[in-house]
Amino acid sequence: MSEQRIPKRSEVDKAYTWAIEDIYPSDKAWAADLAKLKAVPAKLMTYKGRLSESGDTLLGFLQLSDEISVLVDSLANYAQRKSDEDTAVAVYQAMTGQLMSTYVEINSAGSFETPELIAISDERMAELYKEQPALELYRLNLDRIRRKKAHVLTEAEEKIMALAGDAMSTPENIFSMFSDADLKFPDAVDKDGSAHQVTHGSYSPLMMQSDRELRKSAFESMYHTYDKFRNTMAATLSAQIKSVQFYAKARKYDSSLQAALDANEVPVEVYTNLIQAVHDNMHYMYDYVALRKKLLGVDELHFYDLYAHMVSDVEMKITFEEAKETVLKALAPMGEDYLKIMREGFENRWIDVYENEGKASGAYSAGARVHPFVMLNHKDTLNCMFTLAHEMGHAIHSYLSNKNQPVAYSDYVIFVAEVASTCNEALLMQYLLKTTEDKKQKAYLINYFLEQFRTTLYRQTMFAEFELKINELVSQGESLTADGLCEIYRELNKLYFGDGIVLDDEIALEWARIPHFYYNYYVYQYATGYSAAIALSTRILREGEGAVKDYIGFLSGGCSKTPIELLKDAGVDMATAQPINDALKLFGELIGQMDELMK
């Protein structure tokens, strides 16, 4: 692929594009299935008021729901993947819009499902199972719906909650529009006086630059701009937390944390255990800060020094073909069955590899039922090789869950989603560390690994603790002000980074630019998923076949059990702090290795 010019979609070698035709051979075939979907609302309405009528009626409704899921999966994946190939092609944006409109109609037509299922008495449910034994397949899903009976309101109250939905999503929309669209940042200036544009996209690369004056300038550009709007950002975040609190109270939960975690059947203790475990292992972070200060050779370490490379003058150019070969070697401990699926993805065009004009940025895996589709924008870097391993972890998770679970249980929740991808990354890293002999390259790899620990386990846990603290304040009737939010955030940075770094005034405002605080207790899952993945990869390398068998069972589980149960079956108990403690112990060992290599 030429680095001189980004090719048009039509110019990309077909071998490096995904086989979208495996879903539909043409737009015309897609349109035929959309016509079928448009007939669904009328079919759903024939079941309204009848779900407790007989076992056959309830089974028919649930089977229709499965058919809808399969149809929507194909329609959505085709339209969205085609749209991402070239976002300038309006036809696929229009197709996605048509699908969404139809899906809204389906949701509206089927809105009777939860209230009716909850209204069925336990005695009547027992009779329905006896009448139609095939309903046993759906018992877990039915139990999941019915266990929320205490949190479902009257029909009139539910209508009010539905009407409030748009208003409750407004804070996130305001934040996104203001932060992403309206805010403009002054240029950063490097040591030679040259200007560099500061945007949300350019900020992270600027913070990795070796030029310290440029990093400091970019840091100040970002936070001094947010400082001008600190009260606006505080009011927006306060509105978000109040919306979350409203939902929790209206749904009769003990706390907003319980309400958020209940959706994924995750106990509150998992969240609080994570924070406590990181607190208990904070000394490793202080060791990291000391090592970073030492390797950068600075008198004082500042927050704008946290992303600069500790190992310089190392370039690892890795072509896509080399990346595939290395990933396969690294994942050899997973066994031949796992590698066979990986090769199938490589050889049968599951992956859209290179950038083209108009193609969506970033990377992802979409778990279509026909087979997963992986988007990359490969650039021959170390990071891109890890991205390949990461997204193929997601892909194989989806593939195995779809293959081994019925439609009703083939999807998996966010809590476990990052485990499979990160486990692949951990195995790749361990392989590279084992096979790399050049000391500087090895140090470069350890630096990469250390940054994953710092930014995923410590940073995301700090975010999670901040979110918990501000929710608790609002639940106690306290107001969230800019000064109050800055004070909480400043103290958390002091706790998490220790005395080895200068507590720059600007960092107290970081909360103002973090979109995840509008995602309702989402970020903790990055840290728990990372801990679980480190534990699983360690067990696979240590125990071999037995551990692999358990892990494949986890990947094949979909949502057939709670996420905690699925991980426990794989050998990791996330209801305890042990996986987090073990992961952070490895972090400490890597710091020691890095220090020794760089002497």
Side-chain angles (χ1 to χ4, degrees):
M1 301 295 293
S2 172
E3 293 292 326
Q4 303 303 313
R5 183 181 69 84
I6 298 172
K8 297 181 184 298
R9 183 70 185 182
S10 59
E11 297 171 334
V12 179
D13 186 336
K14 185 178 179 181
Y16 296 108
T17 65
W18 51 28
I20 197 68
E21 64 273 14
D22 290 351
I23 305 179
Y24 292 109
S26 66
D27 293 357
K28 185 176 180 181
W30 182 92
D33 262 5
L34 181 65
K36 293 179 186 176
L37 191 69
K38 287 181 176 180
V40 162
K43 291 181 182 178
L44 282 171
M45 290 301 291
T46 64
Y47 287 95
K48 187 176 182 180
R50 299 177 53 222
L51 296 188
S52 63
E53 179 182 88
S54 70
D56 286 342
T57 299
L58 180 55
L59 179 64
F61 174 79
L62 295 172
Q63 289 175 335
L64 175 60
S65 296
D66 285 351
E67 292 170 17
I68 294 168
S69 294
V70 172
L71 195 54
V72 168
D73 177 271
S74 295
L75 288 164
N77 268 295
Y78 184 85
Q80 291 169 2
R81 302 297 77 76
K82 289 291 287 184
S83 179
D84 285 349
E85 290 176 3
D86 187 345
T87 56
V89 180
V91 64
Y92 297 111
Q93 295 175 30
M95 286 166 65
T96 301
Q98 292 174 50
L99 175 60
M100 287 306 299
S101 296
T102 306
Y103 194 60
V104 168
E105 291 178 22
I106 290 170
N107 283 338
S108 177
S111 61
F112 61 86
E113 177 184 6
T114 297
E116 282 196 33
L117 289 174
I118 285 174
I120 301 172
S121 69
D122 291 344
E123 293 77 15
R124 180 56 184 150
M125 278 303 302
E127 292 172 359
L128 293 172
Y129 285 121
K130 284 185 179 179
E131 288 175 22
Q132 180 48 268
L135 281 173
E136 284 295 335
L137 172 65
Y138 299 94
R139 184 185 283 270
L140 176 58
N141 263 358
L142 291 168
D143 286 348
R144 281 174 169 155
I145 294 170
R146 288 167 58 78
R147 76 175 177 82
K148 294 187 178 181
K149 186 173 184 177
H151 306 295
V152 175
L153 310 177
T154 66
E155 184 176 351
E157 289 169 335
E158 286 292 345
K159 284 184 178 179
I160 293 172
M161 291 294 286
L163 289 170
D166 276 348
M168 290 172 68
S169 66
T170 300
E172 181 185 352
N173 294 334
I174 293 172
F175 171 83
S176 179
M177 287 297 101
F178 183 75
S179 185
D180 296 337
D182 292 344
L183 273 189
K184 298 291 183 267
F185 306 98
D187 287 349
V189 180
D190 63 25
K191 59 182 174 58
D192 299 318
S194 298
H196 298 257
Q197 186 179 12
V198 178
T199 66
H200 288 296
S202 70
Y203 181 71
S204 290
L206 286 170
M207 296 308 289
M208 295 178 187
Q209 296 297 311
S210 59
D211 183 342
R212 199 179 191 206
E213 287 185 34
L214 176 58
R215 297 200 305 268
K216 181 181 180 182
S217 180
F219 182 76
E220 292 176 346
S221 169
M222 177 67 67
Y223 290 113
H224 291 179
T225 302
Y226 273 103
D227 191 39
K228 295 175 183 177
F229 303 98
R230 57 195 284 138
N231 296 314
T232 298
M233 303 312 293
T236 306
L237 183 55
S238 178
Q240 164 67 17
I241 303 304
K242 286 176 180 177
S243 295
V244 168
Q245 293 288 329
F246 166 79
Y247 176 87
K249 289 177 182 176
R251 292 280 179 208
K252 303 172 187 176
Y253 284 99
D254 294 337
S255 67
S256 58
L257 178 63
Q258 183 194 36
L261 270 58
D262 188 49
N264 284 345
E265 300 178 282
V266 175
V268 167
E269 292 73 29
V270 171
Y271 197 100
T272 54
N273 283 348
L274 168 67
I275 294 172
Q276 186 57 53
V278 170
H279 282 196
D280 292 342
N281 289 278
M282 213 67 86
H283 56 286
Y284 292 130
M285 187 61 165
Y286 303 156
D287 290 344
Y288 168 87
V289 169
L291 177 64
R292 173 168 278 277
K293 181 180 177 182
K294 174 183 171 182
L295 294 183
L296 290 181
V298 294
D299 294 331
E300 291 183 336
L301 190 73
H302 288 261
F303 277 85
Y304 49 79
D305 297 320
L306 281 175
Y307 293 90
H309 294 298
M310 292 190 287
V311 183
S312 57
D313 303 324
V314 176
E315 183 179 358
M316 298 181 71
K317 185 176 176 64
I318 305 162
T319 67
F320 181 63
E321 298 304 324
E322 290 168 340
K324 287 192 296 182
E325 183 180 345
T326 302
V327 168
L328 285 169
K329 289 177 181 176
L331 297 177
M334 290 297 301
E336 188 53 39
D337 289 345
Y338 189 90
L339 294 182
K340 185 178 178 182
I341 301 170
M342 184 77 72
R343 291 192 196 96
E344 182 178 339
F346 290 165
E347 295 166 7
N348 291 298
R349 297 176 50 226
W350 289 8
I351 307 172
D352 207 86
V353 181
Y354 295 110
E355 183 180 9
N356 60 254
E357 282 187 14
K359 184 177 174 180
S361 61
Y364 64 72
S365 173
R369 296 198 70 82
V370 61
H371 62 68
F373 288 82
V374 171
M375 170 170 279
L376 303 176
N377 280 278
H378 192 84
K379 296 291 184 184
D380 292 357
T381 65
L382 176 69
N383 186 61
C384 285
M385 179 166 71
F386 274 94
T387 299
L388 172 63
H390 181 104
E391 299 305 342
M392 286 304 291
H394 283 309
I396 294 177
H397 192 181
S398 297
Y399 177 88
L400 287 171
S401 286
N402 281 331
K403 185 177 180 181
N404 290 282
Q405 295 296 326
V407 173
Y409 304 112
S410 60
D411 204 2
Y412 47 82
V413 299
I414 294 295
F415 186 83
V416 299
E418 291 301 322
V419 174
S421 54
T422 310
C423 185
N424 267 11
E425 285 196 70
L427 290 170
L428 173 58
M429 177 57 77
Q430 295 289 8
Y431 171 80
L432 291 173
L433 290 175
K434 186 178 179 180
T435 57
T436 301
E437 295 181 1
D438 182 273
K439 286 181 69 173
K440 202 157 189 179
Q441 278 199 353
K442 196 165 189 173
Y444 184 81
L445 290 167
I446 293 176
N447 177 73
Y448 186 96
F449 208 6
L450 287 173
E451 288 308 291
Q452 288 183 311
F453 276 94
R454 179 181 71 80
T455 58
T456 306
L457 245 171
Y458 283 100
R459 181 174 168 80
Q460 300 301 332
T461 301
M462 188 180 80
F463 285 174
E465 187 169 359
F466 176 75
E467 191 171 0
L468 180 61
K469 282 179 179 292
I470 62 177
N471 268 276
E472 288 175 343
L473 281 176
V474 172
S475 72
Q476 295 162 10
E478 299 286 335
S479 296
L480 297 182
T481 65
D483 287 348
L485 289 166
C486 286
E487 183 58 29
I488 294 168
Y489 205 81
R490 181 184 290 107
E491 289 302 311
L492 283 173
N493 274 282
K494 185 176 180 180
L495 170 65
Y496 275 73
F497 289 94
D499 297 329
I501 191 169
V502 176
L503 198 61
D504 299 302
D505 290 340
E506 289 87 351
I507 201 61
L509 261 167
E510 188 179 36
W511 59 266
R513 75 176 188 91
I514 305 300
H516 296 79
F517 295 143
Y518 296 83
Y519 297 175
N520 193 14
Y521 292 107
Y522 185 91
V523 293
Y524 83 99
Q525 297 169 117
Y526 292 122
T528 53
Y530 192 83
S531 300
I534 293 297
L536 289 166
S537 61
T538 301
R539 183 175 179 234
I540 288 165
L541 292 173
R542 184 180 65 240
E543 299 178 23
E545 189 176 345
V548 170
K549 183 180 179 181
D550 291 342
Y551 181 64
I552 296 297
F554 158 74
L555 295 180
S556 304
C559 61
S560 59
K561 295 181 179 179
T562 71
I564 300 299
E565 290 170 337
L566 286 167
L567 285 168
K568 196 169 185 178
D569 289 346
V572 179
D573 189 356
M574 292 307 298
T576 72
Q578 192 63 46
I580 301 146
N581 289 330
D582 289 346
L584 292 175
K585 182 181 177 185
L586 175 58
F587 179 62
E589 292 170 358
L590 289 166
I591 292 169
Q593 291 177 35
M594 182 74 161
D595 194 16
E596 190 64 31
L597 276 170
M598 296 299 287
K599 281 181 179 176

